[in-house]
Amino acid sequence: METTSLTKHQKNLSAAIHISTFSKYFIPFGNFILPLILWTSNKNDSSFVDENGKKVLNFQISILLYSLTLGLIAFVFALFTAWDFVGFINVLDHNEHDLSFRIDEIFEFGSHLFVFGFVGLLWLGLFIADVVCSILGALRANEGVV
């Protein structure tokens, strides 16, 4: 949706809200704090700035939730991998029926590295999506497109 009645200030302010998400590399939670300050102080002046601010914060919250989910998955796999690797509990030692299967041969330490690598690739994808979408959002906002 392109609007021609937008002022240069509104376009620049909307682009600045998008670009301000990069402040997370200098300030903890800067990707929330700075866009939130810019958006709340200017959302009543323009519906264009209001809409861009909402979209920026929604995207940053989504990226945070996806990252936390990936972190939880990695933590659980790391916990069970370390638990099994150190050998705190070996369920097979308590096998009363003396069956000859070995679960630890199926899930060797190397197979857990595959999961860590996959989670790492997903994190890299989230990072790239965050950077690219923030830049594209700023460029589109500067053109007057929500």
Side-chain angles (χ1 to χ4, degrees), residues 2-20:
E2 194 165 338
T3 308
T4 57
S5 64
L6 295 174
T7 66
K8 188 69 174 164
H9 176 71
Q10 291 169 336
K11 292 177 185 178
N12 288 339
L13 186 58
S14 296
I17 291 173
H18 285 278
I19 293 298
S20 67

Side-chain angles (χ1 to χ4, degrees), residues 20-72:
S20 67
T21 61
F22 292 119
S23 65
K24 69 181 165 190
Y25 300 114
F26 308 108
I27 304 168
F29 298 107
N31 58 327
F32 298 110
I33 296 169
L34 197 54
L36 186 64
I37 291 171
L38 289 172
W39 172 59
T40 54
S41 62
N42 296 293
K43 68 180 179 180
N44 295 330
D45 298 337
S46 167
S47 62
F48 181 73
V49 173
D50 184 36
E51 191 65 30
N52 275 289
K54 287 178 187 177
K55 289 185 183 293
V56 166
L57 289 171
N58 185 25
F59 182 72
Q60 291 302 313
I61 291 169
S62 297
I63 291 289
L64 175 68
L65 291 177
Y66 298 148
S67 296
L68 289 176
T69 303
L70 288 175
L72 181 64

Side-chain angles (χ1 to χ4, degrees), residues 71-132:
L72 181 64
I73 291 169
F75 176 75
V76 168
F77 272 96
L79 180 68
F80 286 116
T81 300
W83 195 271
D84 190 40
F85 186 69
V86 175
F88 289 115
I89 295 175
N90 190 352
V91 178
L92 296 175
D93 288 342
H94 302 290
N95 188 357
E96 297 175 9
H97 302 293
D98 196 28
L99 297 174
S100 63
F101 68 90
R102 298 216 12 121
I103 293 178
D104 59 342
E105 290 176 358
I106 298 171
F107 296 108
E108 291 291 329
F109 186 71
S111 66
H112 291 289
L113 289 179
F114 173 75
V115 173
F116 292 132
F118 184 69
V119 169
L121 284 175
L122 289 176
W123 261 328
L124 179 64
L126 276 177
F127 170 74
I128 291 170
D130 184 21
V131 170
V132 168

